[in-house]
Amino acid sequence: MDASALHTPVMLERTLELLAPAIEGAAAAGRTPVVVDGTLGMGGHTEALLAAHPTLVVAGIDRDPDAIRLAGARLARFGDRFRPVRATYDRIDLAVEAAGAAAADGILLDLGVSSLQLDAADRGFAYAKDAPLDMRMGQDGDVTAATILAERSARELARLFREYGDEKLADRYARAIVAAREEAPIDTSKRLVDILQAATPRALSNQGHPAKRVFQALRIEVNQELAILERTMPAAIGALAQDGRLVVLAYQSLEDRIVKRALQAASSSTAPLDLPAELPEHAPQLRLLVKGAELADEAERAANPRSAPVRLRAAQRIRPASLAPTTGEPS
């Protein structure tokens, strides 16, 4: 299977543009520049980075062994300039260590489900394909979408669909699932889709696929995506070298909210309001590189529909890590 044929990297040129100054600055200073691709996927962003910067080392993190294998084959021509790390992407420390560095000049997080997982018919991520309801990105652990549907109460399922899927029919769908599982297990995507379609009022049947938000909520819960992202943001900020840059691509509002909050906090002064002068340790850690969140342009959205919901945010470290306060705040 050819990884390059499976995946079109989102906002590739903009990502390269934002990371380039940090990479080039490290190289100009006589250091081997290091980038952590926290969400390696099929390796598209990493391939472009390695091709553009001949001395760059990229440590790529992914929890999915299939992604590690396919990306590794795609990137084999770069030799040990590519360092694969099988882990969840909050383990930025493992990637920096694998690259043989003390800090990263660039960190990229391309969040959400990868093309490999969406297109794999046997993984259960896509509601348009009948498959076992698995949804584990790393293919390990005991919790699958099917076990959640089998074990959670109607109240718990409704909360899950509301909070992680913003599903207006959460209670209705949860009751339908609990009733249906009394008759037979809900262990395939087609069976779940059929249940959701049957529970959808006819007046709302033309307002998008009824399974979209439920599948999103289940995927997030199975993989603990938001909890991992909450840990990842301070880890990524703390791992940046001086003048290092962080680029994050988020595809849904829950992710983007976590990213926005972390970047805003790290780019704000922590000095008390009554302090006559700002001390160095209270100065912002980061400088935001884009205003708000950038979107893919019309041409990219037309060519690659998966880029339509993306929100890109980026920042640069401007305060040396040695000036971090001792209160547990990420450096």
Side-chain angles (χ1 to χ4, degrees), residues 229 233 248 250 253-267 288 292-293 313:
L229 181 57
M233 290 306 297
V248 186
S253 60
L254 293 170
E255 293 174 337
D256 186 55
R257 194 174 302 136
I258 293 170
V259 175
K260 178 182 178 180
R261 185 172 65 241
L263 293 184
Q264 284 183 336
S267 61
L288 300 182
R313 297 182 187 272

PDB file of all heavy atoms in Angstrom, residues 229 233 248 250 253-267 288 292-293 313:
ATOM      1  N   LEU A 229      -5.169  15.662  24.228  1.00  0.00           N
ATOM      2  CA  LEU A 229      -4.854  16.996  23.732  1.00  0.00           C
ATOM      3  C   LEU A 229      -4.637  17.972  24.887  1.00  0.00           C
ATOM      4  O   LEU A 229      -3.750  18.841  24.820  1.00  0.00           O
ATOM      5  CB  LEU A 229      -5.960  17.494  22.809  1.00  0.00           C
ATOM      6  CG  LEU A 229      -5.755  18.876  22.179  1.00  0.00           C
ATOM      7  CD1 LEU A 229      -4.453  18.935  21.382  1.00  0.00           C
ATOM      8  CD2 LEU A 229      -6.943  19.234  21.282  1.00  0.00           C
ATOM      9  N   MET A 233      -0.862  20.031  24.846  1.00  0.00           N
ATOM     10  CA  MET A 233      -0.568  21.446  24.628  1.00  0.00           C
ATOM     11  C   MET A 233       0.512  21.974  25.575  1.00  0.00           C
ATOM     12  O   MET A 233       1.495  22.574  25.123  1.00  0.00           O
ATOM     13  CB  MET A 233      -1.844  22.278  24.700  1.00  0.00           C
ATOM     14  CG  MET A 233      -2.800  22.057  23.528  1.00  0.00           C
ATOM     15  SD  MET A 233      -2.013  22.305  21.906  1.00  0.00           S
ATOM     16  CE  MET A 233      -1.574  24.039  21.992  1.00  0.00           C
ATOM     17  N   VAL A 248      -0.626  23.981  14.895  1.00  0.00           N
ATOM     18  CA  VAL A 248      -1.678  23.019  15.220  1.00  0.00           C
ATOM     19  C   VAL A 248      -2.823  23.162  14.230  1.00  0.00           C
ATOM     20  O   VAL A 248      -3.315  24.273  13.985  1.00  0.00           O
ATOM     21  CB  VAL A 248      -2.222  23.226  16.649  1.00  0.00           C
ATOM     22  CG1 VAL A 248      -3.200  22.109  17.002  1.00  0.00           C
ATOM     23  CG2 VAL A 248      -1.088  23.274  17.668  1.00  0.00           C
ATOM     24  N   ALA A 250      -6.604  21.856  13.758  1.00  0.00           N
ATOM     25  CA  ALA A 250      -7.740  21.228  14.436  1.00  0.00           C
ATOM     26  C   ALA A 250      -8.920  21.167  13.476  1.00  0.00           C
ATOM     27  O   ALA A 250      -9.105  22.056  12.640  1.00  0.00           O
ATOM     28  CB  ALA A 250      -8.110  22.006  15.688  1.00  0.00           C
ATOM     29  N   SER A 253     -14.593  21.821  16.786  1.00  0.00           N
ATOM     30  CA  SER A 253     -14.567  22.946  17.717  1.00  0.00           C
ATOM     31  C   SER A 253     -14.032  22.572  19.089  1.00  0.00           C
ATOM     32  O   SER A 253     -13.402  23.400  19.759  1.00  0.00           O
ATOM     33  CB  SER A 253     -15.970  23.551  17.842  1.00  0.00           C
ATOM     34  OG  SER A 253     -16.886  22.583  18.322  1.00  0.00           O
ATOM     35  N   LEU A 254     -14.277  21.340  19.542  1.00  0.00           N
ATOM     36  CA  LEU A 254     -13.794  20.944  20.859  1.00  0.00           C
ATOM     37  C   LEU A 254     -12.270  20.950  20.900  1.00  0.00           C
ATOM     38  O   LEU A 254     -11.665  21.417  21.868  1.00  0.00           O
ATOM     39  CB  LEU A 254     -14.323  19.551  21.217  1.00  0.00           C
ATOM     40  CG  LEU A 254     -15.830  19.442  21.430  1.00  0.00           C
ATOM     41  CD1 LEU A 254     -16.241  17.985  21.542  1.00  0.00           C
ATOM     42  CD2 LEU A 254     -16.255  20.211  22.664  1.00  0.00           C
ATOM     43  N   GLU A 255     -11.639  20.427  19.850  1.00  0.00           N
ATOM     44  CA  GLU A 255     -10.181  20.460  19.765  1.00  0.00           C
ATOM     45  C   GLU A 255      -9.676  21.900  19.687  1.00  0.00           C
ATOM     46  O   GLU A 255      -8.749  22.285  20.408  1.00  0.00           O
ATOM     47  CB  GLU A 255      -9.705  19.715  18.516  1.00  0.00           C
ATOM     48  CG  GLU A 255      -9.937  18.230  18.512  1.00  0.00           C
ATOM     49  CD  GLU A 255      -9.572  17.610  17.170  1.00  0.00           C
ATOM     50  OE1 GLU A 255      -9.552  18.321  16.146  1.00  0.00           O
ATOM     51  OE2 GLU A 255      -9.318  16.388  17.144  1.00  0.00           O
ATOM     52  N   ASP A 256     -10.279  22.665  18.788  1.00  0.00           N
ATOM     53  CA  ASP A 256      -9.797  24.026  18.567  1.00  0.00           C
ATOM     54  C   ASP A 256      -9.923  24.877  19.822  1.00  0.00           C
ATOM     55  O   ASP A 256      -9.080  25.740  20.091  1.00  0.00           O
ATOM     56  CB  ASP A 256     -10.561  24.667  17.403  1.00  0.00           C
ATOM     57  CG  ASP A 256     -10.014  26.037  17.034  1.00  0.00           C
ATOM     58  OD1 ASP A 256      -8.796  26.129  16.771  1.00  0.00           O
ATOM     59  OD2 ASP A 256     -10.783  27.007  17.031  1.00  0.00           O
ATOM     60  N   ARG A 257     -10.943  24.629  20.609  1.00  0.00           N
ATOM     61  CA  ARG A 257     -11.122  25.392  21.846  1.00  0.00           C
ATOM     62  C   ARG A 257      -9.973  25.129  22.821  1.00  0.00           C
ATOM     63  O   ARG A 257      -9.470  26.049  23.478  1.00  0.00           O
ATOM     64  CB  ARG A 257     -12.459  25.005  22.490  1.00  0.00           C
ATOM     65  CG  ARG A 257     -12.935  25.943  23.581  1.00  0.00           C
ATOM     66  CD  ARG A 257     -14.324  25.541  24.040  1.00  0.00           C
ATOM     67  NE  ARG A 257     -15.261  25.539  22.940  1.00  0.00           N
ATOM     68  CZ  ARG A 257     -16.166  24.584  22.715  1.00  0.00           C
ATOM     69  NH1 ARG A 257     -16.264  23.548  23.517  1.00  0.00           N
ATOM     70  NH2 ARG A 257     -16.992  24.671  21.691  1.00  0.00           N
ATOM     71  N   ILE A 258      -9.546  23.881  22.930  1.00  0.00           N
ATOM     72  CA  ILE A 258      -8.428  23.529  23.814  1.00  0.00           C
ATOM     73  C   ILE A 258      -7.144  24.192  23.325  1.00  0.00           C
ATOM     74  O   ILE A 258      -6.371  24.751  24.111  1.00  0.00           O
ATOM     75  CB  ILE A 258      -8.265  21.997  23.884  1.00  0.00           C
ATOM     76  CG1 ILE A 258      -9.462  21.362  24.589  1.00  0.00           C
ATOM     77  CG2 ILE A 258      -6.971  21.620  24.588  1.00  0.00           C
ATOM     78  CD1 ILE A 258      -9.504  19.848  24.500  1.00  0.00           C
ATOM     79  N   VAL A 259      -6.908  24.127  22.019  1.00  0.00           N
ATOM     80  CA  VAL A 259      -5.701  24.730  21.435  1.00  0.00           C
ATOM     81  C   VAL A 259      -5.709  26.237  21.652  1.00  0.00           C
ATOM     82  O   VAL A 259      -4.711  26.829  22.099  1.00  0.00           O
ATOM     83  CB  VAL A 259      -5.609  24.390  19.931  1.00  0.00           C
ATOM     84  CG1 VAL A 259      -4.437  25.115  19.284  1.00  0.00           C
ATOM     85  CG2 VAL A 259      -5.485  22.886  19.732  1.00  0.00           C
ATOM     86  N   LYS A 260      -6.823  26.871  21.333  1.00  0.00           N
ATOM     87  CA  LYS A 260      -6.934  28.330  21.470  1.00  0.00           C
ATOM     88  C   LYS A 260      -6.684  28.769  22.904  1.00  0.00           C
ATOM     89  O   LYS A 260      -5.928  29.730  23.159  1.00  0.00           O
ATOM     90  CB  LYS A 260      -8.327  28.771  21.021  1.00  0.00           C
ATOM     91  CG  LYS A 260      -8.590  30.264  21.171  1.00  0.00           C
ATOM     92  CD  LYS A 260     -10.015  30.596  20.749  1.00  0.00           C
ATOM     93  CE  LYS A 260     -10.319  32.084  20.937  1.00  0.00           C
ATOM     94  NZ  LYS A 260     -11.711  32.396  20.527  1.00  0.00           N
ATOM     95  N   ARG A 261      -7.283  28.069  23.858  1.00  0.00           N
ATOM     96  CA  ARG A 261      -7.132  28.436  25.260  1.00  0.00           C
ATOM     97  C   ARG A 261      -5.663  28.318  25.712  1.00  0.00           C
ATOM     98  O   ARG A 261      -5.137  29.202  26.397  1.00  0.00           O
ATOM     99  CB  ARG A 261      -8.023  27.536  26.124  1.00  0.00           C
ATOM    100  CG  ARG A 261      -8.040  27.917  27.595  1.00  0.00           C
ATOM    101  CD  ARG A 261      -9.087  27.128  28.358  1.00  0.00           C
ATOM    102  NE  ARG A 261      -8.787  25.710  28.375  1.00  0.00           N
ATOM    103  CZ  ARG A 261      -9.582  24.771  27.861  1.00  0.00           C
ATOM    104  NH1 ARG A 261     -10.716  25.102  27.261  1.00  0.00           N
ATOM    105  NH2 ARG A 261      -9.248  23.513  27.941  1.00  0.00           N
ATOM    106  N   ALA A 262      -5.004  27.237  25.311  1.00  0.00           N
ATOM    107  CA  ALA A 262      -3.613  27.032  25.718  1.00  0.00           C
ATOM    108  C   ALA A 262      -2.690  28.081  25.110  1.00  0.00           C
ATOM    109  O   ALA A 262      -1.809  28.625  25.789  1.00  0.00           O
ATOM    110  CB  ALA A 262      -3.158  25.627  25.321  1.00  0.00           C
ATOM    111  N   LEU A 263      -2.899  28.391  23.838  1.00  0.00           N
ATOM    112  CA  LEU A 263      -2.034  29.373  23.177  1.00  0.00           C
ATOM    113  C   LEU A 263      -2.279  30.782  23.711  1.00  0.00           C
ATOM    114  O   LEU A 263      -1.341  31.570  23.874  1.00  0.00           O
ATOM    115  CB  LEU A 263      -2.237  29.333  21.668  1.00  0.00           C
ATOM    116  CG  LEU A 263      -1.786  28.043  20.965  1.00  0.00           C
ATOM    117  CD1 LEU A 263      -1.961  28.167  19.457  1.00  0.00           C
ATOM    118  CD2 LEU A 263      -0.340  27.687  21.296  1.00  0.00           C
ATOM    119  N   GLN A 264      -3.534  31.098  23.976  1.00  0.00           N
ATOM    120  CA  GLN A 264      -3.827  32.424  24.532  1.00  0.00           C
ATOM    121  C   GLN A 264      -3.198  32.596  25.908  1.00  0.00           C
ATOM    122  O   GLN A 264      -2.637  33.650  26.223  1.00  0.00           O
ATOM    123  CB  GLN A 264      -5.338  32.634  24.607  1.00  0.00           C
ATOM    124  CG  GLN A 264      -5.991  32.936  23.271  1.00  0.00           C
ATOM    125  CD  GLN A 264      -7.481  33.209  23.391  1.00  0.00           C
ATOM    126  OE1 GLN A 264      -8.131  32.761  24.341  1.00  0.00           O
ATOM    127  NE2 GLN A 264      -8.033  33.918  22.426  1.00  0.00           N
ATOM    128  N   ALA A 265      -3.271  31.550  26.744  1.00  0.00           N
ATOM    129  CA  ALA A 265      -2.691  31.634  28.084  1.00  0.00           C
ATOM    130  C   ALA A 265      -1.176  31.805  28.013  1.00  0.00           C
ATOM    131  O   ALA A 265      -0.592  32.623  28.741  1.00  0.00           O
ATOM    132  CB  ALA A 265      -3.049  30.388  28.890  1.00  0.00           C
ATOM    133  N   ALA A 266      -0.535  31.050  27.123  1.00  0.00           N
ATOM    134  CA  ALA A 266       0.923  31.098  27.036  1.00  0.00           C
ATOM    135  C   ALA A 266       1.424  32.359  26.342  1.00  0.00           C
ATOM    136  O   ALA A 266       2.603  32.700  26.449  1.00  0.00           O
ATOM    137  CB  ALA A 266       1.439  29.858  26.305  1.00  0.00           C
ATOM    138  N   SER A 267       0.550  33.052  25.639  1.00  0.00           N
ATOM    139  CA  SER A 267       0.958  34.288  24.961  1.00  0.00           C
ATOM    140  C   SER A 267       0.527  35.536  25.720  1.00  0.00           C
ATOM    141  O   SER A 267       0.601  36.646  25.203  1.00  0.00           O
ATOM    142  CB  SER A 267       0.380  34.328  23.537  1.00  0.00           C
ATOM    143  OG  SER A 267      -1.039  34.295  23.565  1.00  0.00           O
ATOM    144  N   LEU A 288       1.848  34.790  19.204  1.00  0.00           N
ATOM    145  CA  LEU A 288       0.964  34.189  18.207  1.00  0.00           C
ATOM    146  C   LEU A 288       1.396  34.615  16.813  1.00  0.00           C
ATOM    147  O   LEU A 288       1.687  35.793  16.573  1.00  0.00           O
ATOM    148  CB  LEU A 288      -0.482  34.593  18.470  1.00  0.00           C
ATOM    149  CG  LEU A 288      -1.061  34.190  19.829  1.00  0.00           C
ATOM    150  CD1 LEU A 288      -2.519  34.603  19.924  1.00  0.00           C
ATOM    151  CD2 LEU A 288      -0.903  32.696  20.090  1.00  0.00           C
ATOM    152  N   GLY A 292      -6.172  34.860  15.039  1.00  0.00           N
ATOM    153  CA  GLY A 292      -7.268  33.909  15.134  1.00  0.00           C
ATOM    154  C   GLY A 292      -6.858  32.562  14.586  1.00  0.00           C
ATOM    155  O   GLY A 292      -5.762  32.077  14.830  1.00  0.00           O
ATOM    156  N   ALA A 293      -7.747  31.959  13.846  1.00  0.00           N
ATOM    157  CA  ALA A 293      -7.468  30.674  13.215  1.00  0.00           C
ATOM    158  C   ALA A 293      -7.565  30.833  11.704  1.00  0.00           C
ATOM    159  O   ALA A 293      -8.500  31.447  11.199  1.00  0.00           O
ATOM    160  CB  ALA A 293      -8.462  29.616  13.689  1.00  0.00           C
ATOM    161  N   ARG A 313      -3.701  27.184  13.888  1.00  0.00           N
ATOM    162  CA  ARG A 313      -3.165  28.165  14.831  1.00  0.00           C
ATOM    163  C   ARG A 313      -1.671  27.915  14.979  1.00  0.00           C
ATOM    164  O   ARG A 313      -1.205  26.772  14.872  1.00  0.00           O
ATOM    165  CB  ARG A 313      -3.860  28.060  16.201  1.00  0.00           C
ATOM    166  CG  ARG A 313      -5.353  28.382  16.131  1.00  0.00           C
ATOM    167  CD  ARG A 313      -6.018  28.329  17.499  1.00  0.00           C
ATOM    168  NE  ARG A 313      -7.463  28.468  17.393  1.00  0.00           N
ATOM    169  CZ  ARG A 313      -8.125  29.621  17.384  1.00  0.00           C
ATOM    170  NH1 ARG A 313      -7.453  30.766  17.492  1.00  0.00           N
ATOM    171  NH2 ARG A 313      -9.439  29.651  17.272  1.00  0.00           N
TER     172      ARG A 313
END
